[in-house]
Amino acid sequence: MAGKRVAFGLIAAFAASLSGTAIAEEVSITLTGEVDAVCGISDADLSRTEINFGILSNIDAGQQSDEVTNTVSLICNDPDGGTVTISSENGGVLTRTGSSGGSGNEIGYSVALTNGSAISVPPSTLSTPVIHTFLGSPDLISGQPVSISFRANGVRVGSPAGNGAVSTSVYAGIYSDVVRVSVTAN
């Protein structure tokens, strides 16, 4: 009987050791979260900005006004970067208030966008929207200043009578346009 007890004890010990190997020594837990793409542009005070070129009849045709610059903040956390689109309500011209544009009622201008190495749009007209893609950058995650610069064309011309008097290439009045700058994630 002592032999049966020893055999039974060995079988019980073997069975207990088998059940011990079924317990894992580590547990893996996967954690996930999501961050939405945030790409946009804003003015410091989030209001509509107005740029006044002053008296364009004091600037010769073929010349441009002094550069007028507005600084905005561009934010984009997309690792693939984003796309800046600059568009004009009047197709890239200042239009005389009360007119529908056309000869004598439009003044051209240019726009440029710069931010060090991340974004650079050379002076362009906005006859069609300007579209510029940029690469993702750690600097753009929290926002970077971007300068938007404008120059209007002068309209002063010599009198066709050749008597030394000056005239303009457009009618008198207030000229305006609305430029929109938007940013989307790639």
Side-chain angles (χ1 to χ4, degrees), residues 60-61 155-169:
D60 290 335
V155 297
R156 183 173 55 196
V157 294
S159 170
N163 59 5
V166 294
S167 184
T168 64
S169 59

Side-chain angles (χ1 to χ4, degrees), residues 45-110:
D45 61 5
L46 299 176
S47 66
R48 187 175 183 152
T49 300
E50 185 174 322
I51 292 181
N52 185 343
F53 291 112
I55 308 297
L56 296 175
S57 55
N58 291 337
I59 302 169
D60 290 335
Q63 301 295 313
Q64 286 194 312
S65 68
D66 290 337
E67 186 174 79
V68 180
T69 301
N70 186 48
T71 301
V72 295
S73 180
L74 183 132
I75 297 169
C76 190
N77 68 350
D78 191 312
D80 295 327
T83 301
V84 174
T85 302
I86 309 168
S87 61
S88 159
E89 201 170 87
N90 295 337
V93 293
L94 302 170
T95 302
R96 186 173 61 83
T97 301
S99 77
S100 57
S103 181
N105 293 298
E106 297 178 349
I107 302 171
Y109 64 88
S110 63

Side-chain angles (χ1 to χ4, degrees), residues 110-163:
S110 63
V111 61
L113 194 77
T114 55
N115 162 276
S117 61
I119 296 173
S120 181
V121 175
S124 305
T125 64
L126 294 176
S127 55
T128 60
V130 171
I131 299 170
H132 177 75
T133 58
F134 58 90
L135 299 174
S137 164
D139 295 337
L140 293 175
I141 291 173
S142 59
Q144 286 290 301
V146 175
S147 295
I148 304 174
S149 304
F150 298 90
R151 289 180 181 262
N153 297 342
V155 297
R156 183 173 55 196
V157 294
S159 170
N163 59 5

